[in-house]
Amino acid sequence: MDETVRWLTPEEQHAWRSFIRLHDRLWGLLSRRLQAESHVSSADFAVLVELSEAPDGRRRFLELARVLEWEKSRMSHHIARMVKRGLVVRDECPDDGRGAFVVITDAGREMIEAAAPRHVEAVRELFLDHVTPAELRTLARISERVVEKLDAEEAP
Amino acid sequence: MDETVRWLTPEEQHAWRSFIRLHDRLWGLLSRRLQAESHVSSADFAVLVELSEAPDGRRRFLELARVLEWEKSRMSHHIARMVKRGLVVRDECPDDGRGAFVVITDAGREMIEAAAPRHVEAVRELFLDHVTPAELRTLARISERVVEKLDAEEAP
DNA sequence: CGGAAAGTGTAGACACGTCAACGAACCGGC
DNA sequence: GCCGGTTCGTTGACGTGTCTACACTTTCCG
């Protein structure tokens, strides 16, 4: 084993753990609120937002997966569950025999329109209200830069 | 419906989405590396770190849950899986007939000792190396402050 | 034209987390 | 002592995410 491991300094360890902790707590609370108040999961919410903003409320399957950065398998399973609950329907694609559209239903629109304002309010109350504009810019800058590096990491 | 929803500004929306995206990508990549290189999940890793640092490699069940901020049910399910794979064992508590200890096994120690250096290296390579010390301090400060608010939110 | 390769989506097995209900042991006051 | 409330931990049902393998198209190219 390589004995020259560069372990994290206490500051690094603290920052890293705090960051993970922040996300877990925040996302957990937001998800539970969304579920309790609006009866949709965060994943449902993401799909419905994407569809409701699309022309005719419809999107190709893998296009949706690409936008949300989900694996196609996850998308397939999740759409199956959403179909079962009546939030979306599948529609065959005339141009491509393999493909399919996912289309938001009226029930889906009602869900998202009821959930969105509450969700936005929660994001403000639980997060944005406690962060200064300068801090938010720093956070965004860090996030963009690191994600860019990760993209480069995964590409090859 | 309340028409006076304070929707997110483009800057806020961008920062929020970037933050979530950062966590998802980073955590996803780290988890997959941990699994592929060391055959442990992030959750296994967290448990093993905690146990390996404890005296005699043992901890009371709910104490572990409290430290990791996991629900007791999650802990119970997860420990059951780890027992099945031989990473930990359960041990009855003589003082308290209800209670139990979770104890790390030799195999568990080997796992964590092999996984830790790689994991630390990955955290550096994928995250810390791309963030300045000042940015890291800002991130830690934000995280602490918001988590504190969330604690206050959940307590009552 | 025809066959290989790549694209689109599905399906099953499994790991994981949450929720709610439960059983068993402890604890405090009467 | 014992009864009610609390704590400790388990369990089963269910929704979710990943991985692998698969089936069916389309497309590319000789």
Side-chain angles (χ1 to χ4, degrees):
Chain A
M1 187 181 318
D2 185 354
E3 293 295 345
T4 65
V5 182
R6 293 186 305 143
W7 298 103
L8 303 192
T9 67
E11 292 74 27
E12 287 172 333
Q13 188 160 142
H14 174 75
W16 171 244
R17 289 190 175 184
S18 293
F19 167 63
I20 297 302
R21 186 177 156 89
L22 168 62
H23 177 278
D24 286 358
R25 297 288 294 277
L26 196 47
W27 195 249
L29 203 46
L30 285 171
S31 300
R32 261 173 276 124
R33 280 205 186 183
L34 213 44
Q35 187 66 55
E37 296 178 351
S38 306
H39 308 291
V40 285
S41 67
S42 301
D44 297 333
F45 188 81
V47 169
L48 291 175
V49 165
E50 216 44 59
L51 287 180
S52 67
E53 288 174 351
D56 292 340
R58 73 171 47 221
R59 284 257 203 193
R60 279 294 292 271
F61 209 92
L62 287 191
E63 187 193 346
L64 201 49
R66 189 181 44 70
V67 172
L68 296 179
E69 303 190 274
W70 285 9
E71 302 199 354
K72 61 183 183 174
S73 174
R74 175 180 181 182
M75 187 58 77
S76 183
H77 284 304
H78 201 90
I79 294 302
R81 291 188 293 260
M82 291 182 76
V83 166
K84 205 180 306 178
R85 285 185 294 147
L87 299 175
V88 300
V89 293
R90 292 178 208 268
D91 194 5
E92 295 195 358
C93 179
D95 299 351
D96 188 334
R98 301 164 297 184
F101 286 99
V102 185
V103 191
I104 191 170
T105 62
D106 289 347
R109 282 201 194 275
E110 283 173 29
M111 279 290 199
I112 191 66
E113 280 165 14
R118 295 176 185 184
H119 183 62
V120 168
E121 186 50 45
V123 171
R124 281 205 181 285
E125 177 195 337
L126 300 178
F127 180 58
L128 296 175
D129 281 353
H130 310 303
V131 179
T132 70
E135 288 172 337
L136 201 60
R137 280 194 297 276
T138 298
L139 183 58
R141 196 178 60 235
I142 295 173
S143 300
E144 283 173 78
R145 187 191 314 137
V146 175
V147 168
E148 217 168 284
K149 302 292 183 182
L150 297 183
D151 283 341
E153 178 75 19
E154 292 179 285
Chain B
M1 185 180 325
D2 185 355
E3 294 295 345
T4 65
V5 182
R6 291 185 305 145
W7 298 104
L8 303 192
T9 67
E11 291 75 26
E12 288 171 332
Q13 187 160 141
H14 174 75
W16 172 244
R17 289 190 175 185
S18 293
F19 168 63
I20 297 302
R21 184 177 157 91
L22 168 62
H23 177 278
D24 287 358
R25 296 288 294 278
L26 196 45
W27 195 248
L29 204 43
L30 285 171
S31 301
R32 261 172 277 126
R33 281 204 184 183
L34 215 42
Q35 187 66 56
E37 297 177 351
S38 309
H39 307 289
V40 285
S41 68
S42 301
D44 297 333
F45 187 82
V47 169
L48 292 176
V49 165
E50 216 46 58
L51 288 180
S52 66
E53 289 174 351
D56 292 340
R58 71 173 46 222
R59 284 258 203 191
R60 278 294 291 271
F61 207 92
L62 287 191
E63 187 194 347
L64 202 49
R66 189 180 44 69
V67 172
L68 296 178
E69 302 190 275
W70 286 9
E71 301 199 356
K72 59 184 182 174
S73 173
R74 175 180 180 183
M75 187 59 75
S76 185
H77 284 302
H78 202 87
I79 294 300
R81 289 187 295 260
M82 291 181 77
V83 166
K84 204 179 308 178
R85 285 184 294 147
L87 299 175
V88 301
V89 293
R90 293 176 208 268
D91 192 6
E92 296 196 356
C93 178
D95 300 351
D96 189 334
R98 301 162 297 184
F101 286 99
V102 186
V103 190
I104 191 170
T105 62
D106 290 347
R109 282 201 194 275
E110 283 173 30
M111 279 290 200
I112 191 68
E113 280 165 15
R118 295 176 185 183
H119 184 62
V120 168
E121 185 50 46
V123 171
R124 281 206 182 285
E125 176 194 338
L126 300 178
F127 180 58
L128 296 176
D129 280 354
H130 310 303
V131 179
T132 70
E135 287 172 339
L136 201 60
R137 281 194 297 276
T138 298
L139 184 57
R141 194 178 64 238
I142 295 173
S143 300
E144 284 173 77
R145 188 191 312 136
V146 175
V147 168
E148 216 169 284
K149 302 291 184 182
L150 296 183
D151 283 341
E153 177 75 20
E154 292 178 283

